[in-house]
Amino acid sequence: MNAKVKKRVNVTFTHIILIIVSLLFILPFIWMVSTSLKPITQVFTFPIEWIPDPFQWMNYLDAIEYIPFFTYLKNTVVITVLSTLGVIISCPLVAYSFAKLEWRGKNVLFVITIAVMMIPSQVTMIPLFLLFNKIGWVGTPLPLIVPAFFGVPFSIFLLRQFFMGLPDTLRDAAKIDGASEFRIYWQIMLPLAKPAILAVGLFQFMGSWTDFMGPLLYLTDEAQYTLSLGLQQFQSQMGTEWGLMMAVATMMTIPIIILFFFLQKTFIKGITFSGIK
Amino acid sequence: MAQVTTRKKTPIPPTIRKPFRKSSLNGWLFASPWIIGLLLFYAYPLLSSMYYSLTTYSILDAGEFVGFKNYGELFHDDLFWKSISNTIYFAVFFVPLSILFGVSLAMMLNMKVKGLAIYRTIFFLPTLVPQVALAVLWMWLLNPGFGLVNGMLDSIGIQGPNWLGSMSWSKPSLILMSLWTIGQPVIIYLAGLGDISEEYYEAAEVDGASWFQKTRHITLPLLTPVIFYNLVMGLIGAFQQFTLPYTMTQGQGTPANSLTFYVMHMYDNAFKYFKMGYGSAMAWILFVIIMILTAIIFSTSKRWVHYQGE
């Protein structure tokens, strides 16, 4: 067998394995979309009818009316966008100071930051709830937004790793030209760190978009609910509104899939682990 | 532990040395949001959680200081022990399996074939679906009567179990479901694979190394820092299992509390029964368990974690 044929066999074999495993990962998703288009009577038929007959587009309209969809969507978007913005503003600043600036106490603070990543969020959950309750933030989305503006340890760590990889010569040259530290950061370093910032932004966006426990704890008024909480409302004592629930789940998922598909390459490039020791 | 690599410092003559030089001030300014965040959202709650754990505090009344009474009570709480054993069961099986599957998946997704962007998106898909929808989806897939999984088993002549309905299968079912959402670690493994220098493979190819040999002697050893990272993160995550079992069992942990996980029991105590002191004691025990396990992993890491260029 010559090298060319051998390579072709290898590539084909790789594709076959990837396709089989992909099917396993995508099947339940296809089921979700298919169920979102079925009348309730077809949901449980066996063998499964993958293609709904007829397509029940009404499910989408009914779902939107079953729960206050647009209110929940607006709440979810507000929380997600603002908390992502918070992470994008605060974390690169902090990460940059850990990676490139010299200051007293830096090393100690960085070690503490790493240690904080080990604290289960549940340990701080009760006191934070009581704190937010005392200042009247429970029942508002503020506890789900404001902390992001003060930095998230995981994102700070990831961005620091990225900044560590950027050459110091850039900074030194700008310094000789008399640029201020903030200007160097804003005009030179930040544009270079775009892929990494995109990565932490997307992680935060996805986490926030599908978060369940946070809204469950802090949002008490139904008018404040997010889509994640809204999904639960299709489950009741009377049974589950499968088609409608899956319609909302599909509407929640598709936008992020598109986002991920186009950003995934930059996204993976932005995560760097060289220098974790 | 991640070590800080600082640039070589040129010694500063003591006469010029001041506690806050201009650059030092800049550093503090840049880091100030996080310093405030650390104090407000980590240090303060950590200390108050410790204090609350020694009181009978609830939202409804101020409570009183009772010393270690909450901790003592926990030892007589059957559900506490049940939830710990459930959580450990989950972690023991889920964490190693997630590493095995995560690394294999990432290696497949790192091969140079067409349509990689599509494959990667597909593997990441389950991570993008809201967990509440995932939970409901799986309840249907694993339904013993009309679910897809048993239907397929049936067609090849196997009588499937009553997955989520039986004591012995409920936890394995949950492990199966959780394995399906390993997109995030896979992304991190992929980044790690991308970091491995091509030179190693080229050198190995010159020596005629097989695919298996390259994996065994280059890929896996050089991936150990990332495996190490995901091991720690996976373990912490496993001990915080909440949303899936909570939504699936509507907070009940059914059947027979076989799906009552540690954090669910803690959530019930703190936010359903408002036993904030008791819940805080549970939080601290969780913290201590995770700290001990992390310390054990860190202490063994020198033996098996290799870094490029060492």
mmCIF file of all heavy atoms in Angstrom, chain B residues 28-54:
data_model
loop_
_atom_site.group_PDB
_atom_site.id
_atom_site.type_symbol
_atom_site.label_atom_id
_atom_site.label_comp_id
_atom_site.label_asym_id
_atom_site.label_seq_id
_atom_site.Cartn_x
_atom_site.Cartn_y
_atom_site.Cartn_z
ATOM 1 N N TRP B 28 -1.536 47.803 41.904
ATOM 2 C CA TRP B 28 -2.659 47.772 42.847
ATOM 3 C C TRP B 28 -3.924 48.325 42.220
ATOM 4 O O TRP B 28 -5.009 47.806 42.430
ATOM 5 C CB TRP B 28 -2.316 48.562 44.119
ATOM 6 C CG TRP B 28 -1.480 47.763 45.061
ATOM 7 C CD1 TRP B 28 -0.117 47.703 45.081
ATOM 8 C CD2 TRP B 28 -1.946 46.892 46.093
ATOM 9 N NE1 TRP B 28 0.294 46.844 46.063
ATOM 10 C CE2 TRP B 28 -0.793 46.339 46.717
ATOM 11 C CE3 TRP B 28 -3.204 46.528 46.554
ATOM 12 C CZ2 TRP B 28 -0.889 45.424 47.767
ATOM 13 C CZ3 TRP B 28 -3.296 45.633 47.607
ATOM 14 C CH2 TRP B 28 -2.145 45.088 48.190
ATOM 15 N N LEU B 29 -3.756 49.407 41.462
ATOM 16 C CA LEU B 29 -4.927 50.000 40.813
ATOM 17 C C LEU B 29 -5.572 49.019 39.836
ATOM 18 O O LEU B 29 -6.786 48.821 39.849
ATOM 19 C CB LEU B 29 -4.509 51.260 40.042
ATOM 20 C CG LEU B 29 -4.499 52.553 40.836
ATOM 21 C CD1 LEU B 29 -4.015 53.706 39.948
ATOM 22 C CD2 LEU B 29 -5.900 52.856 41.364
ATOM 23 N N PHE B 30 -4.744 48.395 39.001
ATOM 24 C CA PHE B 30 -5.270 47.439 38.024
ATOM 25 C C PHE B 30 -5.972 46.278 38.712
ATOM 26 O O PHE B 30 -6.971 45.765 38.234
ATOM 27 C CB PHE B 30 -4.135 46.903 37.133
ATOM 28 C CG PHE B 30 -3.824 47.758 35.945
ATOM 29 C CD1 PHE B 30 -3.372 49.059 36.107
ATOM 30 C CD2 PHE B 30 -3.977 47.267 34.659
ATOM 31 C CE1 PHE B 30 -3.084 49.860 35.012
ATOM 32 C CE2 PHE B 30 -3.691 48.059 33.546
ATOM 33 C CZ PHE B 30 -3.242 49.356 33.729
ATOM 34 N N ALA B 31 -5.407 45.852 39.843
ATOM 35 C CA ALA B 31 -5.949 44.673 40.513
ATOM 36 C C ALA B 31 -7.064 45.026 41.491
ATOM 37 O O ALA B 31 -7.689 44.135 42.069
ATOM 38 C CB ALA B 31 -4.834 43.923 41.238
ATOM 39 N N SER B 32 -7.335 46.334 41.649
ATOM 40 C CA SER B 32 -8.262 46.740 42.718
ATOM 41 C C SER B 32 -9.671 46.143 42.612
ATOM 42 O O SER B 32 -10.245 45.787 43.645
ATOM 43 C CB SER B 32 -8.321 48.259 42.832
ATOM 44 O OG SER B 32 -8.729 48.801 41.606
ATOM 45 N N PRO B 33 -10.249 45.983 41.413
ATOM 46 C CA PRO B 33 -11.585 45.374 41.407
ATOM 47 C C PRO B 33 -11.573 43.998 42.072
ATOM 48 O O PRO B 33 -12.460 43.674 42.873
ATOM 49 C CB PRO B 33 -11.922 45.241 39.919
ATOM 50 C CG PRO B 33 -10.992 46.127 39.201
ATOM 51 C CD PRO B 33 -9.793 46.317 40.063
ATOM 52 N N TRP B 34 -10.550 43.219 41.745
ATOM 53 C CA TRP B 34 -10.479 41.862 42.280
ATOM 54 C C TRP B 34 -10.180 41.862 43.780
ATOM 55 O O TRP B 34 -10.673 41.014 44.511
ATOM 56 C CB TRP B 34 -9.436 41.054 41.499
ATOM 57 C CG TRP B 34 -9.190 39.678 42.047
ATOM 58 C CD1 TRP B 34 -7.980 39.131 42.355
ATOM 59 C CD2 TRP B 34 -10.157 38.659 42.352
ATOM 60 N NE1 TRP B 34 -8.136 37.860 42.822
ATOM 61 C CE2 TRP B 34 -9.454 37.543 42.841
ATOM 62 C CE3 TRP B 34 -11.549 38.600 42.278
ATOM 63 C CZ2 TRP B 34 -10.084 36.359 43.237
ATOM 64 C CZ3 TRP B 34 -12.190 37.430 42.688
ATOM 65 C CH2 TRP B 34 -11.465 36.340 43.148
ATOM 66 N N ILE B 35 -9.381 42.829 44.233
ATOM 67 C CA ILE B 35 -9.082 42.879 45.672
ATOM 68 C C ILE B 35 -10.376 43.135 46.440
ATOM 69 O O ILE B 35 -10.673 42.481 47.443
ATOM 70 C CB ILE B 35 -8.005 43.943 45.973
ATOM 71 C CG1 ILE B 35 -6.688 43.512 45.305
ATOM 72 C CG2 ILE B 35 -7.811 44.115 47.473
ATOM 73 C CD1 ILE B 35 -5.624 44.565 45.273
ATOM 74 N N ILE B 36 -11.168 44.065 45.917
ATOM 75 C CA ILE B 36 -12.473 44.325 46.549
ATOM 76 C C ILE B 36 -13.357 43.074 46.448
ATOM 77 O O ILE B 36 -13.973 42.642 47.425
ATOM 78 C CB ILE B 36 -13.185 45.524 45.879
ATOM 79 C CG1 ILE B 36 -12.341 46.779 46.053
ATOM 80 C CG2 ILE B 36 -14.577 45.724 46.456
ATOM 81 C CD1 ILE B 36 -12.806 47.958 45.210
ATOM 82 N N GLY B 37 -13.398 42.474 45.238
ATOM 83 C CA GLY B 37 -14.219 41.277 45.023
ATOM 84 C C GLY B 37 -13.827 40.140 45.955
ATOM 85 O O GLY B 37 -14.680 39.449 46.506
ATOM 86 N N LEU B 38 -12.520 39.980 46.122
ATOM 87 C CA LEU B 38 -12.001 38.910 46.975
ATOM 88 C C LEU B 38 -12.470 39.088 48.420
ATOM 89 O O LEU B 38 -12.917 38.145 49.066
ATOM 90 C CB LEU B 38 -10.469 38.936 46.901
ATOM 91 C CG LEU B 38 -9.706 37.737 47.412
ATOM 92 C CD1 LEU B 38 -10.018 36.526 46.565
ATOM 93 C CD2 LEU B 38 -8.212 38.016 47.360
ATOM 94 N N LEU B 39 -12.378 40.329 48.890
ATOM 95 C CA LEU B 39 -12.781 40.600 50.274
ATOM 96 C C LEU B 39 -14.293 40.444 50.440
ATOM 97 O O LEU B 39 -14.767 39.834 51.390
ATOM 98 C CB LEU B 39 -12.366 42.016 50.676
ATOM 99 C CG LEU B 39 -10.858 42.258 50.779
ATOM 100 C CD1 LEU B 39 -10.572 43.739 51.018
ATOM 101 C CD2 LEU B 39 -10.259 41.422 51.907
ATOM 102 N N LEU B 40 -15.021 40.997 49.472
ATOM 103 C CA LEU B 40 -16.475 41.068 49.593
ATOM 104 C C LEU B 40 -17.162 39.735 49.319
ATOM 105 O O LEU B 40 -18.067 39.326 50.027
ATOM 106 C CB LEU B 40 -16.982 42.115 48.590
ATOM 107 C CG LEU B 40 -18.155 42.964 49.004
ATOM 108 C CD1 LEU B 40 -17.830 43.721 50.274
ATOM 109 C CD2 LEU B 40 -18.486 43.944 47.878
ATOM 110 N N PHE B 41 -16.733 39.053 48.247
ATOM 111 C CA PHE B 41 -17.471 37.868 47.792
ATOM 112 C C PHE B 41 -16.806 36.549 48.171
ATOM 113 O O PHE B 41 -17.342 35.492 47.908
ATOM 114 C CB PHE B 41 -17.694 37.933 46.276
ATOM 115 C CG PHE B 41 -18.475 39.139 45.853
ATOM 116 C CD1 PHE B 41 -17.929 40.062 44.977
ATOM 117 C CD2 PHE B 41 -19.740 39.372 46.370
ATOM 118 C CE1 PHE B 41 -18.646 41.188 44.604
ATOM 119 C CE2 PHE B 41 -20.458 40.492 46.003
ATOM 120 C CZ PHE B 41 -19.911 41.406 45.125
ATOM 121 N N TYR B 42 -15.610 36.602 48.756
ATOM 122 C CA TYR B 42 -14.944 35.363 49.186
ATOM 123 C C TYR B 42 -14.544 35.395 50.653
ATOM 124 O O TYR B 42 -14.959 34.542 51.428
ATOM 125 C CB TYR B 42 -13.743 35.056 48.286
ATOM 126 C CG TYR B 42 -14.167 34.724 46.870
ATOM 127 C CD1 TYR B 42 -14.281 35.713 45.908
ATOM 128 C CD2 TYR B 42 -14.520 33.422 46.526
ATOM 129 C CE1 TYR B 42 -14.713 35.420 44.625
ATOM 130 C CE2 TYR B 42 -14.956 33.122 45.245
ATOM 131 C CZ TYR B 42 -15.051 34.126 44.301
ATOM 132 O OH TYR B 42 -15.491 33.823 43.047
ATOM 133 N N ALA B 43 -13.715 36.417 51.030
ATOM 134 C CA ALA B 43 -13.212 36.434 52.409
ATOM 135 C C ALA B 43 -14.342 36.624 53.415
ATOM 136 O O ALA B 43 -14.490 35.845 54.359
ATOM 137 C CB ALA B 43 -12.160 37.524 52.564
ATOM 138 N N TYR B 44 -15.160 37.645 53.177
ATOM 139 C CA TYR B 44 -16.241 37.921 54.118
ATOM 140 C C TYR B 44 -17.218 36.740 54.248
ATOM 141 O O TYR B 44 -17.499 36.286 55.359
ATOM 142 C CB TYR B 44 -16.967 39.223 53.742
ATOM 143 C CG TYR B 44 -18.352 39.311 54.316
ATOM 144 C CD1 TYR B 44 -18.540 39.624 55.666
ATOM 145 C CD2 TYR B 44 -19.475 39.027 53.542
ATOM 146 C CE1 TYR B 44 -19.802 39.657 56.218
ATOM 147 C CE2 TYR B 44 -20.742 39.055 54.091
ATOM 148 C CZ TYR B 44 -20.909 39.375 55.424
ATOM 149 O OH TYR B 44 -22.166 39.392 55.957
ATOM 150 N N PRO B 45 -17.736 36.198 53.128
ATOM 151 C CA PRO B 45 -18.663 35.065 53.267
ATOM 152 C C PRO B 45 -18.024 33.832 53.887
ATOM 153 O O PRO B 45 -18.670 33.108 54.639
ATOM 154 C CB PRO B 45 -19.102 34.747 51.838
ATOM 155 C CG PRO B 45 -18.551 35.781 50.972
ATOM 156 C CD PRO B 45 -17.584 36.608 51.717
ATOM 157 N N LEU B 46 -16.733 33.628 53.604
ATOM 158 C CA LEU B 46 -16.055 32.452 54.152
ATOM 159 C C LEU B 46 -16.025 32.528 55.676
ATOM 160 O O LEU B 46 -16.361 31.575 56.377
ATOM 161 C CB LEU B 46 -14.631 32.391 53.588
ATOM 162 C CG LEU B 46 -13.973 31.038 53.556
ATOM 163 C CD1 LEU B 46 -14.725 30.097 52.647
ATOM 164 C CD2 LEU B 46 -12.528 31.170 53.094
ATOM 165 N N LEU B 47 -15.646 33.718 56.179
ATOM 166 C CA LEU B 47 -15.563 33.876 57.627
ATOM 167 C C LEU B 47 -16.950 33.849 58.258
ATOM 168 O O LEU B 47 -17.156 33.208 59.288
ATOM 169 C CB LEU B 47 -14.839 35.184 57.978
ATOM 170 C CG LEU B 47 -13.356 35.176 57.599
ATOM 171 C CD1 LEU B 47 -12.726 36.538 57.854
ATOM 172 C CD2 LEU B 47 -12.611 34.081 58.368
ATOM 173 N N SER B 48 -17.910 34.513 57.619
ATOM 174 C CA SER B 48 -19.238 34.505 58.244
ATOM 175 C C SER B 48 -19.857 33.122 58.187
ATOM 176 O O SER B 48 -20.577 32.731 59.096
ATOM 177 C CB SER B 48 -20.186 35.542 57.663
ATOM 178 O OG SER B 48 -19.815 35.934 56.413
ATOM 179 N N SER B 49 -19.553 32.370 57.118
ATOM 180 C CA SER B 49 -20.080 31.022 57.048
ATOM 181 C C SER B 49 -19.561 30.195 58.227
ATOM 182 O O SER B 49 -20.281 29.399 58.824
ATOM 183 C CB SER B 49 -19.678 30.390 55.720
ATOM 184 O OG SER B 49 -19.684 29.010 55.809
ATOM 185 N N MET B 50 -18.296 30.411 58.558
ATOM 186 C CA MET B 50 -17.743 29.688 59.702
ATOM 187 C C MET B 50 -18.477 30.085 60.984
ATOM 188 O O MET B 50 -18.833 29.242 61.793
ATOM 189 C CB MET B 50 -16.252 29.984 59.827
ATOM 190 C CG MET B 50 -15.636 29.318 61.031
ATOM 191 S SD MET B 50 -13.874 29.298 60.872
ATOM 192 C CE MET B 50 -13.587 27.564 60.723
ATOM 193 N N TYR B 51 -18.712 31.394 61.125
ATOM 194 C CA TYR B 51 -19.412 31.854 62.318
ATOM 195 C C TYR B 51 -20.840 31.308 62.360
ATOM 196 O O TYR B 51 -21.274 30.752 63.371
ATOM 197 C CB TYR B 51 -19.410 33.389 62.395
ATOM 198 C CG TYR B 51 -20.309 33.908 63.488
ATOM 199 C CD1 TYR B 51 -19.927 33.807 64.840
ATOM 200 C CD2 TYR B 51 -21.556 34.451 63.201
ATOM 201 C CE1 TYR B 51 -20.755 34.239 65.854
ATOM 202 C CE2 TYR B 51 -22.398 34.891 64.204
ATOM 203 C CZ TYR B 51 -21.994 34.779 65.526
ATOM 204 O OH TYR B 51 -22.840 35.199 66.541
ATOM 205 N N TYR B 52 -21.562 31.443 61.241
ATOM 206 C CA TYR B 52 -22.948 30.950 61.199
ATOM 207 C C TYR B 52 -23.035 29.471 61.556
ATOM 208 O O TYR B 52 -23.991 29.022 62.162
ATOM 209 C CB TYR B 52 -23.568 31.150 59.802
ATOM 210 C CG TYR B 52 -23.883 32.576 59.442
ATOM 211 C CD1 TYR B 52 -23.616 33.062 58.176
ATOM 212 C CD2 TYR B 52 -24.453 33.438 60.377
ATOM 213 C CE1 TYR B 52 -23.899 34.381 57.828
ATOM 214 C CE2 TYR B 52 -24.733 34.755 60.044
ATOM 215 C CZ TYR B 52 -24.451 35.224 58.780
ATOM 216 O OH TYR B 52 -24.736 36.513 58.442
ATOM 217 N N SER B 53 -21.992 28.715 61.140
ATOM 218 C CA SER B 53 -22.042 27.274 61.381
ATOM 219 C C SER B 53 -22.025 26.957 62.876
ATOM 220 O O SER B 53 -22.315 25.843 63.283
ATOM 221 C CB SER B 53 -20.884 26.573 60.669
ATOM 222 O OG SER B 53 -19.692 26.723 61.398
ATOM 223 N N LEU B 54 -21.676 27.951 63.676
ATOM 224 C CA LEU B 54 -21.651 27.740 65.130
ATOM 225 C C LEU B 54 -22.889 28.329 65.806
ATOM 226 O O LEU B 54 -22.951 28.449 67.017
ATOM 227 C CB LEU B 54 -20.389 28.375 65.727
ATOM 228 C CG LEU B 54 -19.056 27.913 65.118
ATOM 229 C CD1 LEU B 54 -17.902 28.730 65.668
ATOM 230 C CD2 LEU B 54 -18.826 26.428 65.370
#
